PDB file of all heavy atoms in Angstrom:
ATOM      1  N   PRO A 168     117.133 -19.653 271.574  1.00  0.00           N
ATOM      2  CA  PRO A 168     117.890 -18.469 270.880  1.00  0.00           C
ATOM      3  C   PRO A 168     119.026 -19.106 270.032  1.00  0.00           C
ATOM      4  O   PRO A 168     120.165 -18.981 270.399  1.00  0.00           O
ATOM      5  CB  PRO A 168     118.324 -17.606 271.983  1.00  0.00           C
ATOM      6  CG  PRO A 168     118.554 -18.595 273.210  1.00  0.00           C
ATOM      7  CD  PRO A 168     117.516 -19.646 273.093  1.00  0.00           C
ATOM      8  N   LEU A 170     120.804 -18.412 267.420  1.00  0.00           N
ATOM      9  CA  LEU A 170     122.031 -17.646 267.166  1.00  0.00           C
ATOM     10  C   LEU A 170     122.394 -16.644 268.211  1.00  0.00           C
ATOM     11  O   LEU A 170     123.283 -15.898 268.083  1.00  0.00           O
ATOM     12  CB  LEU A 170     121.797 -16.931 265.821  1.00  0.00           C
ATOM     13  CG  LEU A 170     121.514 -17.781 264.644  1.00  0.00           C
ATOM     14  CD1 LEU A 170     121.351 -16.899 263.370  1.00  0.00           C
ATOM     15  CD2 LEU A 170     122.572 -18.824 264.361  1.00  0.00           C
ATOM     16  N   GLY A 171     121.716 -16.654 269.400  1.00  0.00           N
ATOM     17  CA  GLY A 171     121.930 -15.711 270.379  1.00  0.00           C
ATOM     18  C   GLY A 171     122.584 -16.269 271.615  1.00  0.00           C
ATOM     19  O   GLY A 171     122.879 -15.631 272.575  1.00  0.00           O
ATOM     20  N   ASP A 172     122.885 -17.626 271.577  1.00  0.00           N
ATOM     21  CA  ASP A 172     123.505 -18.288 272.755  1.00  0.00           C
ATOM     22  C   ASP A 172     124.753 -18.990 272.216  1.00  0.00           C
ATOM     23  O   ASP A 172     124.775 -19.525 271.086  1.00  0.00           O
ATOM     24  CB  ASP A 172     122.570 -19.250 273.398  1.00  0.00           C
ATOM     25  CG  ASP A 172     123.183 -19.968 274.508  1.00  0.00           C
ATOM     26  OD1 ASP A 172     123.372 -19.371 275.628  1.00  0.00           O
ATOM     27  OD2 ASP A 172     123.506 -21.222 274.375  1.00  0.00           O
ATOM     28  N   GLU A 173     125.854 -19.117 273.068  1.00  0.00           N
ATOM     29  CA  GLU A 173     127.065 -19.706 272.588  1.00  0.00           C
ATOM     30  C   GLU A 173     126.894 -21.127 272.137  1.00  0.00           C
ATOM     31  O   GLU A 173     127.377 -21.541 271.125  1.00  0.00           O
ATOM     32  CB  GLU A 173     128.128 -19.633 273.713  1.00  0.00           C
ATOM     33  CG  GLU A 173     129.416 -20.252 273.366  1.00  0.00           C
ATOM     34  CD  GLU A 173     130.474 -20.197 274.591  1.00  0.00           C
ATOM     35  OE1 GLU A 173     130.078 -19.446 275.540  1.00  0.00           O
ATOM     36  OE2 GLU A 173     131.492 -20.847 274.481  1.00  0.00           O
ATOM     37  N   THR A 174     126.171 -21.954 272.922  1.00  0.00           N
ATOM     38  CA  THR A 174     125.973 -23.416 272.675  1.00  0.00           C
ATOM     39  C   THR A 174     125.199 -23.632 271.407  1.00  0.00           C
ATOM     40  O   THR A 174     125.545 -24.346 270.464  1.00  0.00           O
ATOM     41  CB  THR A 174     125.368 -24.086 273.792  1.00  0.00           C
ATOM     42  OG1 THR A 174     126.274 -23.877 275.021  1.00  0.00           O
ATOM     43  CG2 THR A 174     125.348 -25.582 273.554  1.00  0.00           C
ATOM     44  N   THR A 175     124.003 -22.958 271.367  1.00  0.00           N
ATOM     45  CA  THR A 175     123.074 -23.178 270.255  1.00  0.00           C
ATOM     46  C   THR A 175     123.589 -22.504 268.992  1.00  0.00           C
ATOM     47  O   THR A 175     123.396 -23.080 267.833  1.00  0.00           O
ATOM     48  CB  THR A 175     121.673 -22.582 270.597  1.00  0.00           C
ATOM     49  OG1 THR A 175     121.859 -21.171 270.956  1.00  0.00           O
ATOM     50  CG2 THR A 175     120.979 -23.349 271.662  1.00  0.00           C
ATOM     51  N   ALA A 176     124.326 -21.462 269.059  1.00  0.00           N
ATOM     52  CA  ALA A 176     125.011 -20.810 267.868  1.00  0.00           C
ATOM     53  C   ALA A 176     125.992 -21.816 267.290  1.00  0.00           C
ATOM     54  O   ALA A 176     126.163 -21.966 266.016  1.00  0.00           O
ATOM     55  CB  ALA A 176     125.644 -19.523 268.211  1.00  0.00           C
ATOM     56  N   PRO A 260     127.666 -14.816 269.572  1.00  0.00           N
ATOM     57  CA  PRO A 260     127.683 -13.626 270.540  1.00  0.00           C
ATOM     58  C   PRO A 260     128.982 -13.590 271.298  1.00  0.00           C
ATOM     59  O   PRO A 260     129.566 -14.579 271.809  1.00  0.00           O
ATOM     60  CB  PRO A 260     126.485 -13.973 271.491  1.00  0.00           C
ATOM     61  CG  PRO A 260     126.310 -15.458 271.492  1.00  0.00           C
ATOM     62  CD  PRO A 260     126.794 -15.880 270.056  1.00  0.00           C
TER      63      PRO A 260
END
Side-chain angles (χ1 to χ4, degrees):
L170 301 181
D172 179 74
E173 179 180 349
T174 303
T175 52

